[in-house]
Amino acid sequence: MTRLPDSFYQRDVLEVAPELLGKRIVHNISKPQQEYMITEVEAYRGEEDLACHASKGRTKRTEIMYHQGGFVYVYLIYGMYWMMNIVTGDKGNPQAVLIRGVKGISGPGRLGKVLQLDKSYYGEHLVTSPRIWLATADDCPDYRVTPRINIDSAGVPWINKPWRYILNNI
DNA sequence: GGCACGATGTGA
DNA sequence: CACATCGTGCCG
């Protein structure tokens, strides 16, 4: 299993998101290093996507999404859960994939807890970081799609976009 | 400076 | 269904 290169992330989020299914999150903060198979993700695509944090424009919080793909975007929700996101696409085009679940762990909040995420992960470069990165897998994943979760306030058409990807036969 | 609220999870 | 708990955007 090898670390995913820059080129993997530097494509449109709708292309990258489903390909993240089955890939491994490698977490190297204690030994042995841990690996988690990604089972569920959601795509957030550009300023026009009202469910995407970048719909508020470029701010200190969304800044990282304006970078080229391959960086980690973390943020705190409800005052207690750190969400794990992967920046994708080209520089200047804010996109990210929210990792909603990995094998054995469901829910983005739980994942953040397991990975011990905090503010220090903001902007971590997955291609060079010594503590977290993504690795290839030899699976050929079979998945299904649904609308994204808990983004009602984004309204139509965004609440209807089938941008949540879930691995079958987990 | 103050305030309302959220890409959630838990437990009653 | 209520609520824990706090960074962020927005308004002033």
Side-chain angles (χ1 to χ4, degrees):
Chain A
M1 302 222 277
T2 55
R3 186 187 292 234
L4 296 176
D6 268 318
S7 57
F8 176 85
Y9 305 100
Q10 293 164 15
R11 296 175 293 151
D12 190 272
V13 69
L14 297 183
E15 207 174 322
V16 178
E19 289 188 26
L20 283 171
L21 296 173
K23 297 288 193 298
R24 308 318 202 244
I25 296 173
V26 184
H27 198 215
N28 185 32
I29 58 163
S30 60
K31 50 182 186 180
Q33 70 184 22
Q34 301 297 122
E35 297 192 1
Y36 305 93
M37 183 175 79
I38 299 173
T39 57
E40 181 178 343
V41 301
E42 281 179 359
Y44 288 88
R45 190 168 186 262
E47 292 182 345
E48 60 174 23
D49 175 5
L50 297 185
C52 179
H53 288 164
S55 64
K56 308 249 181 186
R58 193 168 191 145
T59 67
K60 190 174 178 185
R61 180 208 211 183
T62 62
E63 173 67 25
I64 195 64
M65 280 204 268
Y66 287 79
H67 283 63
Q68 61 186 43
F71 293 90
V72 172
Y73 166 40
V74 293
Y75 65 91
L76 187 66
I77 187 81
Y78 303 125
M80 56 184 96
Y81 298 109
W82 288 95
M83 302 285 110
M84 168 79 178
N85 298 255
I86 312 288
V87 175
T88 70
D90 296 322
K91 184 177 181 181
N93 184 4
Q95 308 183 328
V97 179
L98 169 65
I99 308 298
R100 287 193 65 85
V102 297
K103 190 173 182 179
I105 299 165
S106 59
R110 285 184 163 191
L111 175 62
K113 192 171 179 183
V114 168
L115 294 178
Q116 299 173 52
L117 296 183
D118 58 39
K119 197 162 194 159
S120 73
Y121 279 83
Y122 184 92
E124 193 84 359
H125 192 206
L126 291 168
V127 181
T128 57
S129 172
R131 60 175 173 168
I132 192 167
W133 63 89
L134 299 190
T136 55
D138 40 27
D139 303 338
C140 186
D142 174 28
Y143 66 89
R144 62 188 186 277
V145 301
T146 79
R148 294 170 292 179
I149 300 297
N150 284 332
I151 56 155
D152 290 4
S153 58
V156 177
W158 310 108
I159 54 176
N160 296 321
K161 299 286 185 186
W163 290 352
R164 178 182 180 217
Y165 305 84
I166 311 167
L167 209 52
N168 288 331
N169 317 310
I170 299 172

